[in-house]
Amino acid sequence: MHIGADYYPEHWPRETWETTAQQMQEAGFNTVRLAEFAWAFLEPEEGRFDFRWLDDALAVLGRHGIRALLGTPTATMPAWVARKYPETLAMKPNGQRTTWGVRKNNCFTSGAYRLLSERITRAMAEHYRDHPQVIGWQTDNEFGNNPCSCGTCRADFQDWLRARYGSVEALNQAWGTHFWSHRFSEWAEVPIPDDNGSHNPGLLLDWQRYGSWLNVRFQADQVRILRQVCPRQVITHNFMGYHQDLDYYDLARDLDFVSWDNYPVWGALEIPYDAAGAADLMRGLKRRNFWIMETTAGPGGWGEMGRNVRPGELRKVALQQVAHGADGLIWFRWRTCTVGREQYWHGLLGHDGLPGRRYREAQATAQELHRLWPELEGTTVPARVAILYDYDSLWATRFQKSFPDNHWQQYLRRFQAALVRAGVPCDLIHPDQDLSGYRLVVAPQLFVLPDARAQRLAAFVRAGGVLLTTLRTGVKDEYSRCHARTLPGLLSDVLGIRIEEYEALPGATPAAIQGSGLLPGAFTGTGFADWIQPTGAEVLAGYTTAHLRPYAAATRQRAGSGWAYYVGTVVTEDGFYDALLRSCLDAAGIQPVLIPPAGVEVCERAGAGRRLLFLLNHVEEPRQVAVPAGARALVGTITQGQVALEPFGVAVLRLA
Ligand code: GAL
């Protein structure tokens, strides 16, 4: 297994390199990521390359059995780039260029920047193509959407629209520019939107898509070179989990595998549902296992810092990712830097460079994982539940929330967290992904729902699948126009409901809900209420508040040989989602291997004839878990059918 740290030899005197490599080797590390911010060291002046220091650093590491992934260093530009080519700096909406000296503030349409990026990528690729220690590449660092408002970006956006729509008339049609008489007669009239609250929703959605595509194109320029020059080395990128500015499916397409940067330790202690969900998305991007390219090694922070990892937590954070499909594990960073913006972003070692508690915990974790690797290799998460994760719906919701405080991904978390509590693995996947391997599909706020996609979901249900969907599903088409239909549109038949009216609920007056049967109890609806009229669906919960009394809050219907569930409000109680998901899972014929006690997450990896169960204690109190008969402990001890987990403890079992 590839295990190690993000390491910056260029930050440290050469005299330290040997000791560092020795300490890494003693920790059980075999992999480092290097050079992703080292452009000024690799190309100190335009066209003059210097790889000697990196060769030397690799040689020292090599003597200790450590291999490397190299980052293309384009996330921070050297001073000479900005001095010689000021247009490489992104432009703010007010027409001012950003100031050099931060990072990720380049303009992606700057021809100079694209050329310089290709040149350093090619130079590195040619130098390291046959290097025995270089196993592969990380493109850039954490692509995000750095918006730029320069004239080149605007012209390029117009070109992108031309390629997408073909004619100005088609664009007018798609965006509905008859509204406020915003019709275009030439491409050159299309603006860069600078006010997300007022511009045309179609323009906003396409501008977001374009910004995402720009990053993907920039990466593709590098990937093309790396594939051509270094066909035997792998290519990845360090994604940011639930980062919301890019279409990560697109960004993942050109890569061999996805990596991601996971920093779940910050404020109060809480169950890291998002670290679980983000991992499931990272695995879902290519539907294959991923690497952790950076993860918590100590307190983080640039100005103020967060809390430290408690004893056992550093290991637990790492093993949670392995449990969700990580096949590589790189801690950020090796040693806390003494200078620069990230002086407080702590590494495994402190400023002093002395191995301490965090180093020793990483060492024990590395050794444990090397021991487990023969069992882990070839396994992945065997999910039969999918959550549809759709960037168009997320973005369109960001531009038009429908109701105050509506946060697309946080709403999705209510369902995803319930699956974690139920002990059932899930994949977060693209809404057009093949659904045939899944029994249950959860689609919260599938706001943008083109007809073909709705028809596929309906067919999935009729063929025996279980669908759970919610408010704000099926509202818009792919151009962000509202469908001219009664909601939930093409899903009305399978869901057995009609929604002629709906409303945002004022914050101070939530709606009281009473459930019965499968959803027993009283609950609270907030934010929004669909006025659901069942046309065949069974009512699982209804409103007891005033004017909402005639309507359902949650329903389900048998359709074909499947089931279709609908929730029309934001219920605040976790217990609602637990009961709802239990019903959906029952309908789908999915049983968890075990139902974990509160605070414990259970995950499975399976394949190559093996089934491995991970038990992760996310709380700072001990927990007891009853394990399935015949299970054998690979990590931890089974006593009388129970595993005792210490605070932040982890056990790994092999199922019979
Ligand atoms: C990541 C980034 C690293 C480092 C780290 C801590 O997002 O990739 O370079 O900045 O955060 O701030």
Side-chain angles (χ1 to χ4, degrees):
M1 186 167 176
H2 293 283
I3 304 178
D6 299 297
Y7 174 43
Y8 303 88
E10 70 276 23
H11 292 181
W12 302 100
R14 278 178 182 247
E15 308 85 83
T16 63
W17 290 4
E18 181 63 34
T19 311
T20 293
Q22 175 76 32
Q23 289 165 335
M24 286 185 178
Q25 185 178 19
E26 283 166 13
F29 289 5
N30 54 20
T31 309
V32 288
R33 181 194 61 184
L34 301 173
E36 84 280 10
F37 296 119
W39 194 348
F41 291 85
L42 296 165
E43 191 180 1
E45 55 188 79
E46 187 172 358
R48 181 168 72 78
F49 298 101
D50 179 4
F51 297 112
R52 283 168 305 179
W53 66 274
L54 189 51
D55 295 346
D56 293 349
L58 280 165
V60 175
L61 291 162
R63 286 200 291 279
H64 295 273
I66 295 167
R67 300 198 289 169
L69 277 145
L70 302 182
T72 59
T74 42
T76 49
M77 62 170 88
W80 61 257
V81 173
R83 172 172 47 83
K84 291 176 80 169
Y85 308 101
E87 75 277 17
T88 57
L89 289 166
M91 185 178 277
K92 300 180 208 170
N94 68 5
Q96 229 180 29
R97 295 272 170 199
T98 52
T99 307
W100 176 85
V102 294
R103 63 175 178 179
K104 308 208 64 63
N105 63 334
N106 60 283
C107 164
F108 279 117
T109 64
S110 151
Y113 203 74
R114 291 181 68 192
L115 241 129
L116 292 167
S117 150
E118 290 186 10
R119 195 155 66 189
I120 182 67
T121 301
R122 184 174 293 281
M124 287 179 80
E126 283 172 353
H127 190 81
Y128 290 109
R129 54 182 294 170
D130 295 318
H131 196 293
Q133 272 164 271
V134 175
I135 54 180
W137 301 87
Q138 171 189 295
T139 56
D140 201 270
N141 188 78
E142 291 190 341
F143 281 116
N145 191 359
N146 19 328
C148 173
S149 301
C150 77
T152 326
C153 281
R154 182 169 172 193
D156 197 59
F157 177 45
Q158 291 160 350
D159 263 1
W160 181 86
L161 292 169
R162 197 200 323 261
R164 191 176 174 87
Y165 292 100
S167 71
V168 175
E169 194 31 53
L171 179 77
N172 281 320
Q173 192 63 33
W175 289 356
T177 54
H178 42 276
F179 185 78
W180 284 350
S181 102
H182 280 156
R183 298 187 70 76
F184 301 109
S185 46
E186 291 183 27
W187 294 107
E189 291 165 356
V190 178
I192 289 178
D194 63 356
D195 176 352
N196 286 354
S198 298
H199 276 294
N200 181 302
L203 165 65
L204 291 173
L205 186 55
D206 272 336
W207 172 244
Q208 182 73 44
R209 288 172 174 148
Y210 165 74
S212 178
W213 172 85
L214 264 187
N215 283 263
V216 175
R217 178 179 71 175
F218 184 80
Q219 173 175 266
D221 290 343
Q222 296 190 351
V223 169
R224 201 174 308 116
I225 294 166
L226 295 171
R227 292 259 180 249
Q228 184 196 31
V229 182
C230 317
R232 286 187 301 278
Q233 293 164 342
V234 296
I235 308 175
T236 186
H237 174 72
N238 56 336
F239 291 66
M240 294 183 277
Y242 276 143
H243 176 77
Q244 303 190 350
D245 275 331
L246 300 181
D247 184 327
Y248 269 176
Y249 300 105
D250 282 349
L251 193 66
R253 196 159 298 127
D254 285 344
L255 304 172
D256 292 305
F257 59 89
V258 166
S259 304
W260 83 284
D261 299 347
N262 177 38
Y263 294 105
V265 178
W266 196 256
L269 253 188
E270 49 191 36
I271 308 287
Y273 290 119
D274 283 352
D280 294 337
L281 175 63
M282 296 299 97
R283 200 182 60 251
L285 295 179
K286 292 187 83 72
R287 296 180 90 202
R288 60 183 299 186
N289 287 0
F290 56 87
W291 279 32
I292 290 296
M293 194 59 88
E294 299 182 13
T295 191
T296 308
W302 280 18
E304 297 165 7
M305 42 183 126
R307 68 178 178 84
N308 199 358
V309 278
R310 314 250 169 108
E313 198 177 6
L314 185 142
R315 165 178 178 254
K316 191 266 297 179
V317 167
L319 287 177
Q320 185 192 23
Q321 293 301 312
V322 174
H324 281 266
D327 279 349
L329 172 64
I330 310 288
W331 275 285
F332 185 90
R333 53 180 59 230
W334 168 249
R335 177 174 173 183
T336 315
C337 52
T338 55
V339 296
R341 193 63 256 185
E342 297 195 358
Q343 287 157 311
Y344 295 166
W345 203 285
H346 290 76
L348 291 172
L349 272 51
H351 292 123
D352 59 12
L354 300 175
R357 178 185 69 93
R358 301 197 302 268
Y359 168 90
R360 283 193 298 276
E361 194 167 312
Q363 179 180 46
T365 309
Q367 284 161 1
E368 188 165 57
L369 284 170
H370 286 310
R371 192 166 56 74
L372 274 179
W373 183 244
E375 302 274 356
L376 288 169
E377 197 175 7
T379 64
T380 190
V381 177
R384 287 190 298 148
V385 181
I387 298 181
L388 303 186
Y389 198 92
D390 176 35
Y391 289 98
D392 277 351
S393 291
L394 186 162
W395 292 335
T397 302
R398 259 192 345 196
F399 301 134
Q400 289 172 294
K401 288 193 293 186
S402 297
F403 54 96
D405 298 328
N406 184 21
H407 188 289
W408 192 85
Q409 189 249 310
Q410 282 169 17
Y411 186 63
L412 179 140
R413 183 202 290 135
R414 294 174 184 274
F415 299 85
Q416 176 260 338
L419 286 165
V420 172
R421 289 192 294 272
V424 172
C426 68
D427 290 341
L428 270 59
I429 56 164
H430 191 281
D432 287 337
Q433 185 65 253
D434 173 21
L435 299 176
S436 53
Y438 298 105
R439 300 281 308 127
L440 167 62
V441 169
V442 183
Q445 294 200 67
L446 212 48
F447 190 44
V448 173
L449 186 58
D451 286 356
R453 199 171 282 171
Q455 280 151 357
R456 281 184 58 243
L457 287 175
F460 168 77
V461 173
R462 293 194 189 288
V466 178
L467 173 70
L468 165 58
T469 189
T470 74
L471 57 96
R472 308 318 281 151
T473 288
V475 174
K476 295 203 158 196
D477 70 11
E478 70 229 75
Y479 307 109
S480 210
R481 298 178 301 207
C482 287
H483 287 297
R485 304 188 178 108
T486 307
L487 286 172
L490 297 184
L491 292 177
S492 291
D493 281 351
V494 285
L495 286 161
I497 57 174
R498 276 174 75 78
I499 301 163
E500 289 166 13
E501 295 192 80
Y502 44 75
E503 64 179 322
L505 296 174
T509 48
I513 296 172
Q514 185 61 48
S516 56
L518 296 169
L519 273 183
F523 305 102
T524 320
T526 60
F528 193 84
D530 280 320
W531 296 12
I532 303 173
Q533 298 169 282
T535 53
E538 169 191 345
V539 177
L540 301 177
Y543 295 101
T544 53
T545 299
H547 67 285
L548 291 171
R549 255 190 218 121
Y551 304 106
T555 60
R556 73 163 183 172
Q557 176 174 254
R558 184 102 179 123
S561 43
W563 288 95
Y565 288 71
Y566 190 88
V567 181
T569 183
V570 183
V571 178
T572 51
E573 293 85 0
D574 285 350
F576 174 87
Y577 299 92
D578 291 339
L580 180 67
L581 264 305
R582 205 172 306 127
S583 168
C584 294
L585 290 165
D586 281 348
I590 298 172
Q591 293 296 323
V593 178
L594 62 86
I595 298 173
V600 174
E601 184 183 358
V602 50
C603 302
E604 185 175 341
R605 282 182 63 150
R610 296 185 291 275
R611 288 181 71 192
L612 307 176
L613 212 62
F614 288 72
L615 306 174
L616 302 141
N617 184 6
H618 290 304
V619 293
E620 225 177 1
E621 296 158 24
R623 286 283 188 267
Q624 286 281 124
V625 186
V627 304
R632 182 160 63 79
L634 303 174
V635 172
T637 319
I638 302 174
T639 316
Q640 292 170 344
Q642 302 253 331
V643 168
L645 297 171
E646 320 171 326
F648 301 126
V650 180
V652 184
L653 314 179
R654 178 144 174 195
L655 297 181

